[in-house]
Amino acid sequence: MEKVLIAIDYNLCAQKIAETGFEYARAMKAEVCIVHAIADIAYYSMEYSPIMGFEGFRPDSSFETEEQKQNEANRFLAEVVKHLGGSNIKTKVLDGKTAEAILQYACEYKADLIVIGAHSHNGIEKIMGNVAAKVIKNAVIPTLIVPADKLSQRQNSKIQDTLQYI
């Protein structure tokens, strides 16, 4: 695998998703691109503090215009890159329906793996989340689902053991 696409949003579990995807990519010596899809502006009018579970990013204010959403998304991704400490991490802000935008960009980027988080909602979405379910259903490349809840020490140890063999 040469290219890993990591899709994150402003949810607190984004830190775990980014870190897990980055560790897998680093173990495979793969290029990384972290994406954030801009969705409905109402989603961005909520206050997120802190975003991504670390103190490195707080939005300047609620987002009222498309330009503000774009600027904040770019700033958010820059802080994620800084947090991960990778020197060659690419970023991309996507527009459109989240799952479709991720899948389309994965194709354009020629990604070999998509890393995405699972959020709890209802039905099958309780397991994967609406966006993750759509990505898995329509992806033509492997997809790594990172659970939104915190990993136990034992599960975290298993991931580290797995990474040693990649």
Side-chain angles (χ1 to χ4, degrees):
M1 297 203 172
E2 297 177 12
K3 292 183 173 186
V4 175
L5 182 75
I6 303 170
I8 59 174
D9 60 12
Y10 290 144
N11 192 290
L12 288 174
C13 68
Q15 180 176 349
K16 186 172 96 175
I17 296 161
E19 290 170 351
T20 301
F22 184 65
E23 286 300 315
Y24 272 88
R26 195 164 53 181
M28 295 182 290
K29 296 179 174 70
E31 178 179 297
V32 175
C33 184
I34 302 175
V35 301
H36 173 74
I38 294 178
D40 179 23
I41 198 161
Y43 180 77
Y44 296 91
S45 63
M46 294 183 273
E47 197 168 313
Y48 289 88
S49 183
I51 289 177
M52 206 175 129
F54 67 91
E55 298 295 327
F57 181 81
R58 291 181 188 274
D60 288 336
S61 62
S62 62
F63 315 121
E64 297 171 1
T65 68
E66 292 295 322
E67 184 179 359
Q68 286 175 329
K69 281 194 314 187
Q70 186 80 22
N71 291 340
E72 286 298 305
N74 282 315
R75 198 167 72 89
F76 168 60
L77 290 174
E79 289 297 329
V80 173
V81 169
K82 182 178 169 184
H83 172 76
L84 294 174
S87 59
N88 293 324
I89 299 172
K90 296 178 180 191
T91 62
K92 178 76 173 173
V93 176
L94 309 174
D95 244 343
K97 293 184 179 181
T98 305
E100 290 84 353
I102 291 167
L103 290 166
Q104 180 180 351
Y105 189 71
C107 183
E108 289 173 24
Y109 178 64
K110 296 184 171 98
D112 299 301
L113 174 69
I114 297 170
V115 179
I116 193 166
H119 302 284
S120 296
H121 297 289
N122 57 39
I124 187 74
E125 295 169 4
K126 278 187 179 178
I127 299 168
M128 293 188 250
N130 188 31
V131 172
K134 287 179 183 177
V135 168
I136 286 179
K137 182 178 179 182
N138 296 295
V140 295
I141 61 173
T143 305
L144 174 65
I145 301 298
V146 180
D149 59 339
K150 293 187 179 209
L151 291 175
S152 69
Q153 188 69 16
R154 184 171 157 218
Q155 288 171 310
N156 206 5
S157 175
K158 285 181 183 180
I159 288 174
Q160 293 305 317
D161 291 344
T162 301
L163 290 172
Q164 290 177 12
Y165 295 105
I166 296 178

